[in-house]
Amino acid sequence: METLIVLAWRNIWRNKRRTLITAASIFFAVLLSTLMVSIQKGAWDRMEENVVNYYFGYVQIHAKGYWQDRSLDLTFAAVDSLLQLPQWVSGVAVAVPRIESFALAAHADNTTGVMVVGIDPVREHEMTRLRERMVAGTYFDHVREPALLLADGVAQRLNATVGDTVVLLSQGYHGVNAAGKYAVKGLVHFASPDLNRQMVYLPLAVARYFYGADSLLTSIALKVTDKDKVPQVLAQLRQQLDTTRYEVMDWHEMMPELVEARAVDTAGNYLMLLILYLIVSFGIFGTILMMTAERTYEFGVLLAIGMKRIQLSVEVWLEILFIALLGTLAGFVASFPVVYYFHRHPIDFSSSKEIAETYAQFGFEPIFPAAFEPFVFLSQALVVLCITTLLALYPFWKIARLDPVKAMRH
Amino acid sequence: MIVIKAQGLTKVYNPDTVPVHALRSVDLEVHQGEFTAIVGPSGSGKTTLLNILGGLDRPTAGKVWINGTDISTLSENKLIDFRRDHIGFVFQSYNLIPVLTARENAEFVMLLQKWPRAERLARTEQLLREVGLADKMDYRPSQLSGGQQQRVAVVRALAPKPRFILADEPTANLDSVSTRNLLDIMARLNEEERVTFLFSTHDQRVIERARRVVTLEDGKIVADETFDR
Ligand SMILES: Nc1ncnc2c1ncn2[C@@H]1O[C@H](COP(=O)(O)OP(=O)(O)O)[C@@H](O)[C@H]1O
Ligand SMILES: [Mg+2]
């Protein structure tokens, strides 16, 4: 075996240029695929984070059937046991009560459809860092303050700013008319374009009054201590809550479109990768073909003097493996700084309004950071290595049917 | 003692399309220690005969016994081992592995046979010295002349002490000095190591050195003479 390794190592340097070109193509394949996967993953992670952390949370509790209808009639009483969930369900950090529904917002001649959410200012901030997302004005001081916060996208549509008065119109609990006039106390910015064009916050008590839904909630969003604990939290809640009255959903269930869109996009990405791999494979295969073809005579001699076919095949396979390892390792190592760069300096289209708006339609902010995850590096390097190694099986096939007598008849 | 015995060897290439009768019922016996040349014009069947005697090719008809073993009964894999362990090969040219040094090439077959390292090194070094390559042991084939390369090939074939060495036109690509030199070496090793040499040639100077000359013509043995040299 040692001899085979020595032979293989020396053989790959017989044609330095070819070895380096082949290794380089593998290198770029690894680098490119790592970068592609990292950016794709990074963009989606950020997008999910934007909707989950900024508003939805990983888990929510509703009255049964609420999420399907989003109707104020499917509300539930804000009982203490629910508000004190963190005390009896492990993995839950904060329970954030909300009452939310859709409304029409108007200011001067402008109107726009919005989501009006009644919040507990303290708890809401604990989960979504809402106070830190203020871009103008000030945050709510208490639950009864008759004022509202607008997402800056909404403010833009309404052409309203801090100090202006905005009128909200909606249908309240059991169909009562809901109407109110509130001063804009502050503006909030959401990274998610979807949220940014529809969020309006009222203090919980004010919202309840507006909707005519005293002491009721539409949802309790849960801040979890650790993202990975979501399944356990779900399981505990489903076991302990009366599931004929409540539904417990994680964000996957609440936003199936998002999950689906990501899956579709990821599949598209893999298709691109497949094409990339295919192109690289042809290059490598060309090298393998040349390598075996030009050494037919030599192979004949080696088989004649007593080298076993399997030894010779392994030797040639090792050569290709070495070239592949060279390219893969170099690509793997080079990926780190490159991906890290794009992790720290995301590709940013926000200076171009057109591109930004296009992405906004799909719910993306126009910023694409690369995910910096060892798993991605490793998997891409491994995939390329596997492909190469598989291609390298060709010499086995070739050598298995090589007749030394014919090989040496030139 | 008979090392090689061939009986009724016949070889027909392309039997289904354009049949070429390369060998026509050849009988041959080679004894231990012989220094024998197979001679004949190009196309007379020398290479075919050596390939079949060496187990590289199978005859269309006839049998070969090596040290009493009928090699036609050996499976493909057994035959490969048998070849490696009992027969040394020297080919016309490009015998050596380009990426290995003279020393590494010389010990290659011993390595395949798993000789202990110390023995391997001692034997190949001694042989390389004997063939006048003491100062070239760490050279790659590309740094050696054609004659030097053939000497390394002879050492490689000889080093693991095979029953016999088959050399197909080993001097075909050498000038006359190198040819004489290589034959001197082969003859001396034949004496000293008592190893049987069977080589083909159509070079008169080489023929003159053989102690037995088997002449092939059109796939048949037309003469078999022994000389006292
Ligand atoms: N693989 C083969 N296929 C077809 N014909 C062959 C093959 N090998 C040798 N021959 C033919 O067999 C005859 C003997 O060839 P060979 O044994 O190479 O002779 P020599 O070595 O004496 O020149 C020649 O006519 C040659 O063309
Ligand atoms: Mg010939």
Side-chain angles (χ1 to χ4, degrees):
Chain A
M1 194 66 203
E2 195 192 319
T3 319
L4 298 184
I5 292 170
V6 171
L7 268 176
W9 181 251
R10 290 196 196 163
N11 270 321
I12 65 173
W13 299 112
R14 262 161 91 173
N15 194 330
K16 252 197 206 112
R17 194 183 334 174
R18 184 168 67 204
T19 295
L20 290 179
I21 289 174
T22 310
S25 75
I26 296 169
F27 166 85
F28 284 116
V30 170
L31 188 63
L32 215 71
S33 64
T34 305
L35 199 60
M36 263 169 76
V37 172
S38 293
I39 289 182
Q40 203 254 358
K41 189 171 188 324
W44 279 101
D45 284 353
R46 186 178 173 117
M47 149 102 156
E48 285 175 6
E49 214 141 280
N50 283 345
V51 294
V52 170
N53 290 348
Y54 280 45
Y55 184 63
F56 287 95
Y58 285 104
V59 180
Q60 286 194 8
I61 300 168
H62 317 123
K64 193 170 175 64
Y66 169 76
W67 196 254
Q68 175 91 20
D69 294 351
R70 300 286 192 98
S71 159
L72 266 181
D73 296 343
L74 291 166
T75 45
F76 58 96
V79 292
D80 281 352
S81 62
L82 287 177
L83 295 173
Q84 270 132 43
L85 264 179
Q87 289 170 15
W88 53 276
V89 179
S90 68
V92 177
V94 189
V96 183
R98 289 170 180 166
I99 183 160
E100 59 182 36
S101 187
F102 296 98
L104 190 72
H107 171 249
D109 289 343
N110 307 309
T111 57
T112 184
V114 295
M115 169 125 102
V116 176
V117 191
I119 56 167
D120 173 329
V122 177
R123 293 198 187 198
E124 186 70 28
H125 174 74
E126 273 181 72
M127 182 171 107
T128 63
R129 320 304 306 166
L130 188 60
R131 188 199 305 271
E132 288 161 19
R133 313 219 190 276
M134 305 282 305
V135 289
T138 48
Y139 195 59
F140 297 132
D141 295 319
H142 54 87
V143 219
R144 302 190 179 281
E145 198 175 357
L148 49 72
L149 302 178
L150 297 180
D152 62 359
V154 176
Q156 234 169 49
R157 288 182 179 213
L158 292 177
N159 199 13
T161 184
V162 177
D164 289 347
T165 301
V166 169
V167 175
L168 297 179
L169 291 172
S170 181
Q171 198 174 44
Y173 187 54
H174 287 315
V176 302
N177 279 331
K181 236 166 75 173
Y182 306 93
V184 178
K185 192 171 187 209
L187 302 184
V188 202
H189 177 76
F190 290 93
S192 159
D194 279 340
L195 294 176
N196 209 41
R197 63 177 162 241
Q198 60 171 337
M199 296 304 288
V200 172
Y201 288 102
L202 288 174
L204 190 56
V206 179
R208 279 175 172 160
Y209 185 76
F210 171 68
Y211 285 128
D214 209 15
S215 80
L216 294 178
L217 296 176
T218 55
S219 50
I220 292 179
L222 301 181
K223 178 184 164 133
V224 292
T225 50
D226 179 356
K227 185 177 163 179
D228 299 331
K229 290 243 175 71
V230 169
Q232 282 106 290
V233 170
L234 278 179
Q236 285 180 70
L237 286 172
R238 282 179 183 150
Q239 201 171 44
Q240 301 188 23
L241 287 178
D242 176 359
T243 48
T244 58
R245 289 174 59 198
Y246 300 105
E247 64 188 15
V248 183
M249 299 177 114
D250 69 0
W251 69 276
H252 287 115
E253 295 166 295
M254 288 188 282
M255 286 170 283
E257 330 79 47
L258 194 64
V259 176
E260 210 169 289
R262 179 173 189 159
V264 169
D265 188 57
T266 306
N269 209 33
Y270 278 127
L271 199 70
M272 297 259 295
L273 283 184
L274 200 73
I275 294 169
L276 175 74
Y277 293 153
L278 221 66
I279 293 170
V280 175
S281 301
F282 276 110
I284 299 168
F285 197 61
T287 300
I288 296 174
L289 278 182
M290 276 192 278
M291 213 156 90
T292 41
E294 72 191 10
R295 271 161 61 195
T296 307
Y297 182 90
E298 187 181 320
F299 290 169
V301 171
L302 287 170
L303 292 181
I305 64 171
M307 196 161 180
K308 285 188 170 33
R309 282 173 208 276
I310 182 76
Q311 292 173 313
L312 184 55
S313 303
V314 167
E315 192 270 318
V316 178
W317 180 75
L318 279 174
E319 290 178 30
I320 298 153
L321 187 71
F322 284 160
I323 298 178
L325 273 175
L326 222 63
T328 313
L329 279 179
F332 183 68
V333 170
S335 298
F336 275 87
V338 174
V339 173
Y340 188 70
Y341 177 85
F342 285 109
H343 178 63
R344 298 307 300 262
H345 308 272
I347 299 171
D348 188 346
F349 293 122
S350 45
S351 54
S352 159
K353 221 170 148 58
E354 262 170 59
I355 299 180
E357 266 164 26
T358 308
Y359 280 114
Q361 283 175 0
F362 297 104
F364 278 95
E365 42 171 348
I367 294 173
F368 297 86
F372 189 76
E373 291 177 20
F375 167 76
V376 173
F377 289 80
L378 213 62
S379 61
Q380 288 316 305
L382 277 180
V383 166
V384 175
L385 193 62
C386 285
I387 294 176
T388 316
T389 314
L390 266 177
L391 287 176
L393 290 179
Y394 169 78
F396 276 82
W397 180 83
K398 176 89 182 165
I399 290 167
R401 46 188 55 220
L402 188 91
D403 174 3
V405 173
K406 285 203 188 106
M408 285 190 293
R409 239 173 75 94
H410 34 233
Chain B
M1 192 178 86
I2 297 174
V3 227
I4 308 172
K5 180 176 152 83
Q7 211 167 55
L9 284 188
T10 299
K11 180 72 181 182
V12 184
Y13 290 111
N14 318 323
D16 306 321
T17 52
V18 198
V20 179
H21 293 265
L23 291 180
R24 301 167 196 262
S25 195
V26 169
D27 298 325
L28 185 70
E29 280 181 5
V30 177
H31 293 256
Q32 169 75 39
E34 277 188 28
F35 195 64
T36 299
I38 310 282
V39 307
S42 185
S44 57
K46 304 184 294 293
T47 299
T48 304
L49 177 60
L50 289 186
N51 283 345
I52 291 173
L53 294 181
L56 286 174
D57 206 354
R58 300 228 185 226
T60 311
K63 277 190 173 156
V64 176
W65 289 266
I66 290 176
N67 267 52
T69 305
D70 176 357
I71 62 171
S72 67
T73 62
L74 298 177
S75 70
E76 190 64 33
N77 280 328
K78 283 261 171 56
L79 185 60
I80 291 171
D81 288 346
F82 188 87
R83 215 158 60 204
R84 184 194 62 202
D85 294 341
H86 300 295
I87 310 173
F89 289 92
V90 177
F91 303 103
Q92 194 168 322
S93 54
Y94 304 112
N95 266 292
L96 305 181
I97 305 166
V99 296
L100 297 184
T101 63
R103 183 206 312 270
E104 290 164 336
N105 265 293
E107 65 176 9
F108 194 74
V109 178
M110 293 181 89
L111 200 67
L112 292 178
Q113 292 185 12
K114 303 194 165 66
W115 284 58
R117 186 183 146 81
E119 237 174 297
R120 219 166 61 210
L121 285 179
R123 175 136 173 97
T124 45
E125 274 183 24
Q126 175 226 329
L127 286 171
L128 283 172
R129 233 177 269 121
E130 260 177 63
V131 302
L133 293 173
D135 54 342
K136 301 273 194 289
M137 291 193 201
D138 295 315
Y139 285 31
R140 294 245 179 132
S142 59
Q143 297 164 301
L144 299 174
S145 72
Q148 291 168 336
Q149 289 184 30
Q150 289 302 73
R151 280 186 255 160
V152 176
V154 169
V155 171
R156 177 181 68 192
L158 189 80
K161 307 189 174 169
R163 300 275 177 218
F164 59 92
I165 291 177
L166 295 175
D168 190 11
E169 308 212 28
T171 61
N173 293 324
L174 302 184
D175 59 41
S176 55
V177 177
S178 302
T179 297
R180 182 149 20 90
N181 200 321
L182 188 70
L183 278 179
D184 285 344
I185 286 166
M186 282 167 57
R188 197 173 71 236
L189 291 171
N190 168 252
E191 296 264 302
E192 286 171 7
E193 301 259 336
R194 302 287 307 139
V195 64
T196 312
F197 269 94
L198 190 59
F199 51 94
S200 72
T201 186
H202 55 249
D203 181 339
Q204 195 53 41
R205 293 164 304 185
V206 177
I207 296 169
E208 280 164 12
R209 304 289 299 272
R211 279 195 298 274
R212 178 181 170 196
V213 177
V214 176
T215 311
L216 267 185
E217 227 167 75
D218 202 15
K220 281 194 295 267
I221 295 183
V222 294
D224 187 347
E225 307 146 280
T226 311
F227 304 91
D228 208 7
R229 292 191 173 117

